[in-house]
Amino acid sequence: MSLAVIKFSSEECGICHKMSFYDQKVAEELGLQFIDVKMQDTATYRQYRKILLTQYPDKSEMGWPTYIICESPEGEFNIIGEVKGGHPKGEFRTRLQQVLDSKTTV
């Protein structure tokens, strides 16, 4: 079972850009694969679109950026949780860890 964080963001999003300085590193430190999906990158977006639309069918409630934590993103995926919006590095790590902890207690 592979757990991944999929970051859905936009090239025009300042917060998304700011978080890119540490989000991948934090995810990898927690043992997660990191997948960066820019909405403008149509090929990559198409590959992970089904995961995003499962969580946000009309995209209205998603934040910028939106991080979806899921099992097996390349196949029959299972969404574990999410982190929405911009956060300082420590808070981002805490929120990711809370999602992982909630999975182990279920």
Side-chain angles (χ1 to χ4, degrees):
M1 168 187 64
S2 63
L3 279 178
V5 174
I6 305 171
K7 176 184 181 180
F8 291 94
S9 64
S10 170
E11 292 174 1
E12 288 89 35
C13 172
I15 294 170
C16 301
H17 179 70
K18 182 178 177 184
M19 289 191 67
S20 70
F21 288 102
Y22 54 83
D23 56 8
Q24 181 171 356
K25 182 178 182 198
V26 168
E28 290 173 352
E29 287 172 358
L30 293 173
L32 302 167
Q33 176 188 5
F34 186 84
I35 301 166
D36 191 7
V37 178
K38 299 237 183 332
M39 302 303 264
Q40 294 84 354
D41 179 354
T42 54
T44 305
Y45 173 69
R46 275 193 205 114
Q47 186 176 357
Y48 297 101
R49 179 178 185 265
K50 187 174 181 182
I51 295 171
L52 179 64
L53 294 179
T54 297
Q55 192 76 349
Y56 298 102
D58 63 4
K59 299 184 202 168
S60 67
E61 300 294 320
M62 65 182 288
W64 292 102
T66 291
Y67 298 87
I68 296 179
I69 300 91
C70 70
E71 296 173 327
S72 305
E74 308 296 334
E76 294 295 320
F77 64 89
N78 178 37
I79 296 174
I80 304 301
E82 67 181 1
V83 175
K84 292 194 297 190
H87 305 284
K89 184 176 183 179
E91 185 177 338
F92 179 65
R93 178 188 308 277
T94 299
R95 288 177 181 251
L96 279 180
Q97 188 64 58
Q98 287 171 341
V99 170
L100 296 174
D101 292 346
S102 71
K103 180 197 180 304
T104 58
T105 59
V106 172

